[in-house]
Amino acid sequence: MENEIVYKTTIKKFLGYDVRIVQVDKRKEYIICKDMFEVLGLVKDNGIWSAPKQKMLEFLEGIGESDDCQTLVVMLKEHGTKRKCVKREVDCLNIETAPIVLTQFQPTKRRGEDALDRWFKFMEFVNMLLKYHEVHKYIVDDKERYKISMKEIKDNGGEPPIVNKMINKIMGKLITGEDNFSISKDELKIYQPQTTIDLLEVRNFVLDKFATFYAFTESHKKSYDATLKLVKKKYFNK
């Protein structure tokens, strides 16, 4: 075929095992999908890997990255042979997208324990990044966070109406400095232009910590005092 681009491969390590990488340009590399799934122990003895491939394609479509899986024409040397390289069409995955795809496939023990151990180390790193960037905020909205915290308080014997009044009072104290001034959730938008701190996030933090303190103290007053002290230190350095 005229103008057909044929790529060569280089060998790199993936979870400690050799895989073939296709260099499309200076900035873009692709891993041969079958090599990746072989390392994960998901290719059958007969060479079939249709199930993990379909799962990967559906996942990529779901996250809007379908274009990161491409069929490329590559010069390949068959494993275990001394024959010359031949052109093959192979499914390849953008190396930058491989990490998120990897979270969806836990290696089997077909290739031994090493790949599995390395995968768990990788997942520990992913978990650390998610916690550091507080990614939970993207999957648990404010309404759900409110329900969760209030349920926790109620389960421990607390009274949500009293807690709401105390949360409003804490926000009033933090924003205005006045002891008997309350600011509701809806009123935060009035004060938001006056500060660079996300007041809604502060309120969510106040409620979360109030729930935590109440679980230990089972006292509205003690939880109020401890929460106010903590939030003043965290957000206002007081």
Side-chain angles (χ1 to χ4, degrees):
M1 182 184 297
E2 292 186 10
N3 300 322
E4 180 182 55
I5 300 177
V6 181
Y7 299 100
K8 295 182 180 180
T9 63
T10 57
I11 302 297
K12 292 188 178 182
K13 295 290 185 181
F14 174 78
L15 296 182
Y17 293 87
D18 288 347
V19 293
R20 291 166 292 183
I21 300 294
V22 181
Q23 187 85 39
V24 172
D25 55 41
K26 291 182 179 180
R27 296 185 177 180
K28 189 171 291 186
E29 293 181 320
Y30 285 79
I31 183 173
I32 294 180
C33 293
K34 189 173 183 180
D35 286 8
M36 179 179 73
F37 286 120
E38 281 184 344
V39 172
L40 298 174
L42 299 175
V43 177
K44 296 181 179 179
D45 292 336
N46 59 7
I48 294 176
W49 56 289
S50 55
K53 176 182 176 180
Q54 184 60 32
K55 179 179 177 180
M56 176 187 70
L57 293 177
E58 290 176 357
F59 176 70
L60 290 174
E61 182 180 3
I63 64 172
E65 298 289 0
S66 295
D67 290 343
D68 278 355
C69 185
Q70 299 285 335
T71 299
L72 303 176
V73 180
V74 182
M75 295 297 295
L76 296 178
K77 186 175 181 180
E78 299 296 331
H79 291 299
T81 71
K82 295 183 179 180
R83 293 181 297 175
K84 293 182 179 180
C85 292
V86 294
K87 290 192 297 184
R88 298 281 187 187
E89 287 189 350
V90 292
D91 294 315
C92 301
L93 177 66
N94 187 329
I95 201 71
E96 292 182 352
T97 308
I100 187 64
V101 171
L102 185 58
T103 64
Q104 306 301 301
F105 295 94
Q106 179 175 326
T108 69
K109 295 183 180 180
R110 294 182 66 181
R111 294 292 295 267
E113 298 284 347
D114 191 47
L116 185 59
D117 290 342
R118 289 173 182 262
W119 183 82
F120 276 120
K121 289 291 184 183
F122 166 71
M123 293 302 290
E124 287 178 10
F125 174 68
V126 171
N127 186 45
M128 179 188 71
L129 288 178
L130 295 176
K131 287 184 176 180
Y132 178 79
H133 291 287
E134 298 183 317
V135 177
H136 64 277
K137 295 177 182 178
Y138 293 91
I139 60 175
V140 180
D141 60 26
D142 294 338
K143 190 173 182 180
E144 283 301 311
R145 290 173 69 182
Y146 175 84
K147 288 181 179 179
I148 292 170
S149 295
M150 279 302 185
K151 183 179 184 304
E152 182 180 348
I153 292 170
K154 190 174 182 180
D155 288 346
N156 288 312
E159 298 183 40
I162 294 177
V163 174
N164 263 325
K165 290 181 179 179
M166 288 187 162
I167 299 301
N168 293 344
K169 190 175 179 181
I170 289 175
M171 294 306 298
K173 173 70 174 178
L174 293 171
I175 294 171
T176 69
E178 298 182 22
D179 290 330
N180 296 312
F181 196 88
S182 294
I183 298 177
S184 69
K185 180 179 178 180
D186 291 337
E187 292 172 330
L188 291 179
K189 60 179 177 288
I190 300 173
Y191 298 90
Q192 186 58 66
Q194 302 173 22
T195 179
T196 57
I197 299 173
D198 186 336
L199 296 178
L200 182 58
E201 183 55 39
V202 174
R203 181 184 170 86
N204 290 332
F205 180 82
V206 167
L207 180 57
D208 289 343
K209 296 310 174 185
F210 195 104
T212 299
F213 286 125
Y214 194 89
F216 288 97
T217 66
E218 296 185 353
S219 164
H220 293 98
K221 179 65 169 60
K222 290 180 180 178
S223 299
Y224 172 90
D225 292 339
T227 302
L228 179 60
K229 182 177 180 180
L230 176 64
V231 178
K232 286 172 67 176
K233 183 176 181 180
K234 176 176 175 64
Y235 288 100
F236 299 92
N237 296 317
K238 295 181 179 179

